[in-house]
Every structure is written in structure tokens, then in C-alpha cells.
Short mmCIF file of all heavy atoms in Angstrom, two decimals:
data_model
loop_
_atom_site.label_atom_id
_atom_site.label_comp_id
_atom_site.label_asym_id
_atom_site.label_seq_id
_atom_site.Cartn_x
_atom_site.Cartn_y
_atom_site.Cartn_z
N ARG A 12 -17.81 16.39 -8.25
CA ARG A 12 -16.51 16.20 -7.70
C ARG A 12 -15.60 17.20 -8.31
O ARG A 12 -15.42 17.26 -9.58
CB ARG A 12 -16.00 14.76 -7.89
CG ARG A 12 -16.89 13.83 -7.09
CD ARG A 12 -16.05 12.51 -7.05
NE ARG A 12 -16.68 11.58 -6.21
CZ ARG A 12 -17.34 10.56 -6.46
NH1 ARG A 12 -17.33 10.08 -7.79
NH2 ARG A 12 -17.88 9.71 -5.64
N GLY A 13 -14.80 17.90 -7.50
CA GLY A 13 -13.90 18.79 -8.09
C GLY A 13 -12.61 18.11 -8.26
O GLY A 13 -12.33 16.94 -7.85
N PRO A 14 -11.49 18.84 -8.69
CA PRO A 14 -10.20 18.23 -8.92
C PRO A 14 -9.59 17.71 -7.63
O PRO A 14 -8.85 16.69 -7.69
CB PRO A 14 -9.35 19.39 -9.58
CG PRO A 14 -10.40 20.27 -10.10
CD PRO A 14 -11.66 20.13 -9.28
N ALA A 15 -9.79 18.43 -6.53
CA ALA A 15 -9.25 17.96 -5.32
C ALA A 15 -9.87 16.63 -4.88
O ALA A 15 -9.10 15.77 -4.35
CB ALA A 15 -9.55 19.06 -4.14
N ALA A 16 -11.17 16.36 -5.05
CA ALA A 16 -11.80 15.17 -4.73
C ALA A 16 -11.20 14.00 -5.61
O ALA A 16 -11.04 12.93 -5.12
CB ALA A 16 -13.19 15.26 -4.86
N VAL A 17 -11.08 14.33 -6.84
CA VAL A 17 -10.55 13.32 -7.79
C VAL A 17 -9.04 12.95 -7.41
O VAL A 17 -8.71 11.81 -7.29
CB VAL A 17 -10.64 13.80 -9.22
CG1 VAL A 17 -9.90 12.85 -10.12
CG2 VAL A 17 -12.16 13.91 -9.63
N GLU A 18 -8.24 13.95 -7.05
CA GLU A 18 -6.92 13.66 -6.68
C GLU A 18 -6.78 12.83 -5.35
O GLU A 18 -6.10 11.98 -5.24
CB GLU A 18 -6.20 15.13 -6.47
CG GLU A 18 -4.68 14.87 -6.13
CD GLU A 18 -3.94 14.19 -7.27
OE1 GLU A 18 -4.27 14.37 -8.45
OE2 GLU A 18 -2.93 13.53 -6.94
N GLU A 19 -7.67 13.19 -4.40
CA GLU A 19 -7.82 12.45 -3.13
C GLU A 19 -8.22 11.02 -3.40
O GLU A 19 -7.67 10.02 -2.80
CB GLU A 19 -8.86 13.08 -2.18
CG GLU A 19 -9.07 12.31 -0.96
CD GLU A 19 -7.89 12.39 0.03
OE1 GLU A 19 -6.91 13.13 -0.24
OE2 GLU A 19 -7.81 11.56 0.91
N LEU A 20 -9.06 10.73 -4.40
CA LEU A 20 -9.48 9.35 -4.74
C LEU A 20 -8.26 8.59 -5.40
O LEU A 20 -8.04 7.47 -5.03
CB LEU A 20 -10.63 9.49 -5.69
CG LEU A 20 -11.20 8.14 -6.06
CD1 LEU A 20 -11.84 7.40 -4.84
CD2 LEU A 20 -12.37 8.30 -7.12
N ARG A 21 -7.58 9.27 -6.21
CA ARG A 21 -6.34 8.70 -6.78
C ARG A 21 -5.32 8.40 -5.71
O ARG A 21 -4.77 7.30 -5.65
CB ARG A 21 -5.75 9.64 -7.82
CG ARG A 21 -6.49 9.71 -9.06
CD ARG A 21 -5.87 10.62 -10.01
NE ARG A 21 -6.67 10.83 -11.22
CZ ARG A 21 -6.70 11.94 -11.93
NH1 ARG A 21 -5.94 12.93 -11.65
NH2 ARG A 21 -7.46 11.96 -13.00
N ARG A 22 -5.15 9.30 -4.72
CA ARG A 22 -4.19 9.06 -3.65
C ARG A 22 -4.52 7.90 -2.83
O ARG A 22 -3.73 7.00 -2.56
CB ARG A 22 -4.08 10.30 -2.83
CG ARG A 22 -2.96 10.23 -1.77
CD ARG A 22 -2.95 11.36 -0.87
NE ARG A 22 -4.18 11.53 -0.05
CZ ARG A 22 -4.46 10.76 0.98
NH1 ARG A 22 -3.65 9.89 1.40
NH2 ARG A 22 -5.63 11.01 1.63
N ARG A 23 -5.79 7.73 -2.47
CA ARG A 23 -6.27 6.60 -1.70
C ARG A 23 -6.15 5.31 -2.48
O ARG A 23 -5.86 4.32 -1.91
CB ARG A 23 -7.68 6.83 -1.33
CG ARG A 23 -7.82 7.96 -0.23
CD ARG A 23 -9.27 8.01 0.17
NE ARG A 23 -9.31 9.05 1.21
CZ ARG A 23 -10.45 9.25 1.92
NH1 ARG A 23 -11.51 8.49 1.76
NH2 ARG A 23 -10.48 10.25 2.80
N ALA A 24 -6.46 5.32 -3.83
CA ALA A 24 -6.27 4.09 -4.57
C ALA A 24 -4.83 3.68 -4.58
O ALA A 24 -4.58 2.43 -4.48
CB ALA A 24 -6.86 4.33 -6.01
N VAL A 25 -3.93 4.62 -4.76
CA VAL A 25 -2.49 4.24 -4.70
C VAL A 25 -2.11 3.69 -3.41
O VAL A 25 -1.39 2.62 -3.31
CB VAL A 25 -1.64 5.37 -5.14
CG1 VAL A 25 -0.12 5.16 -4.97
CG2 VAL A 25 -1.85 5.84 -6.67
N GLU A 26 -2.51 4.33 -2.32
CA GLU A 26 -2.20 3.76 -0.96
C GLU A 26 -2.79 2.43 -0.77
O GLU A 26 -2.12 1.53 -0.18
CB GLU A 26 -2.75 4.77 0.05
CG GLU A 26 -1.95 6.02 0.17
CD GLU A 26 -2.61 7.06 1.18
OE1 GLU A 26 -3.73 6.70 1.70
OE2 GLU A 26 -2.10 8.02 1.30
N ASP A 27 -3.98 2.17 -1.20
CA ASP A 27 -4.61 0.83 -1.05
C ASP A 27 -3.81 -0.27 -1.90
O ASP A 27 -3.56 -1.31 -1.40
CB ASP A 27 -6.12 0.83 -1.56
CG ASP A 27 -6.74 -0.49 -1.41
OD1 ASP A 27 -6.70 -0.97 -0.22
OD2 ASP A 27 -7.37 -1.01 -2.30
N ALA A 28 -3.36 0.19 -3.11
CA ALA A 28 -2.56 -0.80 -3.87
C ALA A 28 -1.31 -1.09 -3.28
O ALA A 28 -0.85 -2.32 -3.18
CB ALA A 28 -2.44 -0.30 -5.34
N GLN A 29 -0.66 -0.06 -2.59
CA GLN A 29 0.56 -0.22 -1.91
C GLN A 29 0.41 -1.23 -0.73
O GLN A 29 1.20 -2.05 -0.53
CB GLN A 29 1.13 1.13 -1.45
CG GLN A 29 2.49 1.05 -0.83
CD GLN A 29 3.51 0.70 -1.86
OE1 GLN A 29 3.62 1.41 -2.83
NE2 GLN A 29 4.36 -0.23 -1.63
N ARG A 30 -0.68 -1.00 0.03
CA ARG A 30 -0.92 -1.91 1.15
C ARG A 30 -1.15 -3.29 0.74
O ARG A 30 -0.59 -4.30 1.37
CB ARG A 30 -2.07 -1.39 1.91
CG ARG A 30 -1.79 -0.30 2.98
CD ARG A 30 -2.90 -0.04 3.91
NE ARG A 30 -4.09 0.27 3.23
CZ ARG A 30 -4.46 1.60 2.91
NH1 ARG A 30 -3.65 2.57 3.24
NH2 ARG A 30 -5.57 1.88 2.31
N ARG A 31 -1.85 -3.54 -0.34
CA ARG A 31 -2.13 -4.82 -0.84
C ARG A 31 -0.83 -5.49 -1.30
O ARG A 31 -0.64 -6.69 -1.07
CB ARG A 31 -3.14 -4.78 -1.94
CG ARG A 31 -4.56 -4.45 -1.47
CD ARG A 31 -5.57 -4.44 -2.56
NE ARG A 31 -5.73 -5.76 -3.21
CZ ARG A 31 -6.03 -5.97 -4.44
NH1 ARG A 31 -6.35 -4.98 -5.21
NH2 ARG A 31 -6.15 -7.14 -4.88
N LEU A 32 -0.02 -4.81 -2.02
CA LEU A 32 1.22 -5.20 -2.53
C LEU A 32 2.19 -5.55 -1.36
O LEU A 32 2.78 -6.79 -1.25
CB LEU A 32 1.88 -4.25 -3.46
CG LEU A 32 3.31 -4.59 -3.92
CD1 LEU A 32 3.12 -5.82 -4.92
CD2 LEU A 32 3.94 -3.41 -4.68
N ASP A 33 2.31 -4.73 -0.27
CA ASP A 33 3.05 -5.04 0.81
C ASP A 33 2.55 -6.29 1.51
O ASP A 33 3.39 -7.12 1.99
CB ASP A 33 3.05 -3.84 1.75
CG ASP A 33 3.87 -2.66 1.34
OD1 ASP A 33 4.73 -2.83 0.38
OD2 ASP A 33 3.79 -1.67 1.97
N ARG A 34 1.32 -6.46 1.68
CA ARG A 34 0.79 -7.62 2.41
C ARG A 34 1.03 -8.84 1.62
O ARG A 34 1.47 -9.87 2.28
CB ARG A 34 -0.72 -7.46 2.54
CG ARG A 34 -1.38 -8.36 3.54
CD ARG A 34 -2.92 -8.17 3.63
NE ARG A 34 -3.12 -6.67 3.65
CZ ARG A 34 -4.21 -6.23 2.99
NH1 ARG A 34 -5.00 -7.00 2.31
NH2 ARG A 34 -4.45 -4.98 3.03
N ALA A 35 0.92 -8.81 0.28
CA ALA A 35 1.30 -9.97 -0.54
C ALA A 35 2.64 -10.33 -0.57
O ALA A 35 3.03 -11.55 -0.32
CB ALA A 35 0.72 -9.76 -1.96
N LEU A 36 3.51 -9.25 -0.61
CA LEU A 36 4.94 -9.53 -0.50
C LEU A 36 5.39 -10.15 0.86
O LEU A 36 6.26 -11.04 0.90
CB LEU A 36 5.73 -8.29 -0.87
CG LEU A 36 5.86 -7.94 -2.31
CD1 LEU A 36 6.55 -6.61 -2.39
CD2 LEU A 36 6.67 -9.00 -3.11
N GLY A 37 4.83 -9.53 1.92
CA GLY A 37 5.09 -10.03 3.32
C GLY A 37 4.65 -11.42 3.43
O GLY A 37 5.42 -12.29 3.98
N HIS A 38 3.52 -11.83 2.91
CA HIS A 38 3.07 -13.10 3.14
C HIS A 38 3.93 -14.13 2.35
O HIS A 38 4.28 -15.20 2.72
CB HIS A 38 1.60 -13.26 2.61
CG HIS A 38 0.97 -14.57 2.67
ND1 HIS A 38 0.66 -15.27 3.89
CD2 HIS A 38 0.81 -15.52 1.64
CE1 HIS A 38 0.28 -16.44 3.62
NE2 HIS A 38 0.33 -16.60 2.33
N LEU A 39 4.36 -13.73 1.14
CA LEU A 39 5.09 -14.54 0.19
C LEU A 39 6.45 -14.79 0.79
O LEU A 39 7.00 -15.88 0.73
CB LEU A 39 5.18 -13.88 -1.11
CG LEU A 39 5.74 -14.73 -2.29
CD1 LEU A 39 4.84 -15.91 -2.56
CD2 LEU A 39 5.94 -13.89 -3.44
N LEU A 40 7.09 -13.74 1.38
CA LEU A 40 8.53 -13.82 1.86
C LEU A 40 8.68 -14.08 3.32
O LEU A 40 9.71 -14.15 3.84
CB LEU A 40 9.27 -12.54 1.46
CG LEU A 40 9.47 -12.43 -0.06
CD1 LEU A 40 9.99 -10.95 -0.34
CD2 LEU A 40 10.33 -13.39 -0.72
N GLY A 41 7.52 -14.14 4.07
CA GLY A 41 7.59 -14.35 5.44
C GLY A 41 7.89 -13.21 6.32
O GLY A 41 8.29 -13.37 7.45
N PHE A 42 7.56 -12.00 6.00
CA PHE A 42 7.75 -10.80 6.71
C PHE A 42 6.51 -10.48 7.48
O PHE A 42 5.34 -10.63 6.96
CB PHE A 42 8.20 -9.62 5.82
CG PHE A 42 9.55 -9.82 5.15
CD1 PHE A 42 9.62 -9.44 3.89
CD2 PHE A 42 10.58 -10.51 5.66
CE1 PHE A 42 10.84 -9.54 3.11
CE2 PHE A 42 11.74 -10.58 5.10
CZ PHE A 42 11.89 -10.15 3.72
N GLU A 43 6.62 -9.87 8.58
CA GLU A 43 5.45 -9.32 9.37
C GLU A 43 4.93 -8.07 8.66
O GLU A 43 5.70 -7.33 8.05
CB GLU A 43 5.89 -9.05 10.78
CG GLU A 43 6.39 -10.22 11.56
CD GLU A 43 5.23 -11.28 11.81
OE1 GLU A 43 4.08 -10.77 11.98
OE2 GLU A 43 5.49 -12.46 11.78
N ALA A 44 3.72 -7.81 8.93
CA ALA A 44 3.11 -6.63 8.34
C ALA A 44 3.64 -5.29 8.77
O ALA A 44 3.61 -4.31 8.16
CB ALA A 44 1.57 -6.68 8.58
N ASP A 45 4.26 -5.25 10.05
CA ASP A 45 4.79 -4.10 10.60
C ASP A 45 6.30 -4.00 10.31
O ASP A 45 6.90 -3.05 10.86
CB ASP A 45 4.42 -3.94 11.99
CG ASP A 45 4.92 -5.11 12.87
OD1 ASP A 45 5.39 -6.16 12.33
OD2 ASP A 45 4.96 -4.88 14.14
N ASP A 46 6.83 -4.89 9.55
CA ASP A 46 8.29 -4.91 9.31
C ASP A 46 8.55 -4.00 8.12
O ASP A 46 8.82 -4.61 7.05
CB ASP A 46 8.83 -6.32 9.15
CG ASP A 46 10.38 -6.39 9.17
OD1 ASP A 46 10.92 -5.38 9.20
OD2 ASP A 46 10.77 -7.56 8.96
N LEU A 47 8.40 -2.70 8.24
CA LEU A 47 8.44 -1.81 7.13
C LEU A 47 9.83 -1.82 6.29
O LEU A 47 9.73 -1.70 5.17
CB LEU A 47 8.10 -0.40 7.61
CG LEU A 47 6.80 -0.15 8.31
CD1 LEU A 47 6.55 1.23 8.81
CD2 LEU A 47 5.69 -0.61 7.36
N SER A 48 10.89 -2.05 7.03
CA SER A 48 12.17 -1.98 6.31
C SER A 48 12.27 -3.23 5.37
O SER A 48 12.78 -3.04 4.21
CB SER A 48 13.37 -1.86 7.25
OG SER A 48 13.46 -3.12 8.04
N ASN A 49 11.87 -4.40 5.83
CA ASN A 49 11.88 -5.49 5.03
C ASN A 49 10.91 -5.47 3.86
O ASN A 49 11.21 -6.00 2.69
CB ASN A 49 11.84 -6.86 5.78
CG ASN A 49 13.11 -7.26 6.38
OD1 ASN A 49 14.25 -7.04 5.91
ND2 ASN A 49 13.05 -7.84 7.61
N LEU A 50 9.79 -4.95 4.21
CA LEU A 50 8.78 -4.78 3.06
C LEU A 50 9.31 -3.81 2.03
O LEU A 50 9.04 -3.96 0.80
CB LEU A 50 7.41 -4.30 3.53
CG LEU A 50 6.68 -5.34 4.47
CD1 LEU A 50 5.44 -4.70 5.19
CD2 LEU A 50 6.30 -6.48 3.63
N ALA A 51 9.95 -2.78 2.42
CA ALA A 51 10.54 -1.77 1.42
C ALA A 51 11.62 -2.51 0.63
O ALA A 51 11.70 -2.23 -0.61
CB ALA A 51 11.15 -0.65 2.18
N ARG A 52 12.40 -3.38 1.25
CA ARG A 52 13.45 -4.18 0.52
C ARG A 52 12.71 -5.07 -0.46
O ARG A 52 13.28 -5.23 -1.55
CB ARG A 52 14.27 -4.97 1.46
CG ARG A 52 15.27 -4.14 2.28
CD ARG A 52 15.88 -4.93 3.44
NE ARG A 52 16.67 -6.15 2.82
CZ ARG A 52 16.63 -7.31 3.25
NH1 ARG A 52 15.94 -7.60 4.33
NH2 ARG A 52 17.38 -8.21 2.70
#
């Protein structure tokens, strides 16, 4: 694996963590998964 592959793996891990966090916050606060502005808030 070169540096580009490692960087891609890191980027995907951060995106996955972001999706999981958004899903958990949305479930907790009652926001829909596609309500991006409220999830950002």
C-alpha cells in the first residue's frame, strides 16, 4: 500500500465515522437521515 492508498483508507474511515455520528444524533434528536441542515446543527 502506498501513501495514496493509506490516505484513502483514512478518508473513508472519517466519512464512515461521520455517517455513524449523524445517524446516532438524528435518531437521538428525531431528525431524518436526509435532513442535512439539522444534522449539521
Side-chain angles (χ1 to χ4, degrees):
R12 292 197 173 113
V17 172
E18 186 60 33
E19 176 68 14
L20 185 61
R21 287 181 184 149
R22 184 185 64 76
R23 287 184 182 189
V25 168
E26 287 176 357
D27 183 52
Q29 185 70 52
R30 276 192 300 273
R31 291 179 64 206
L32 179 66
D33 285 350
R34 194 174 325 131
L36 282 172
H38 178 71
L39 192 66
L40 295 171
F42 298 140
E43 296 294 325
D45 60 348
D46 191 359
L47 300 179
S48 63
N49 277 328
L50 291 173
R52 291 174 55 225

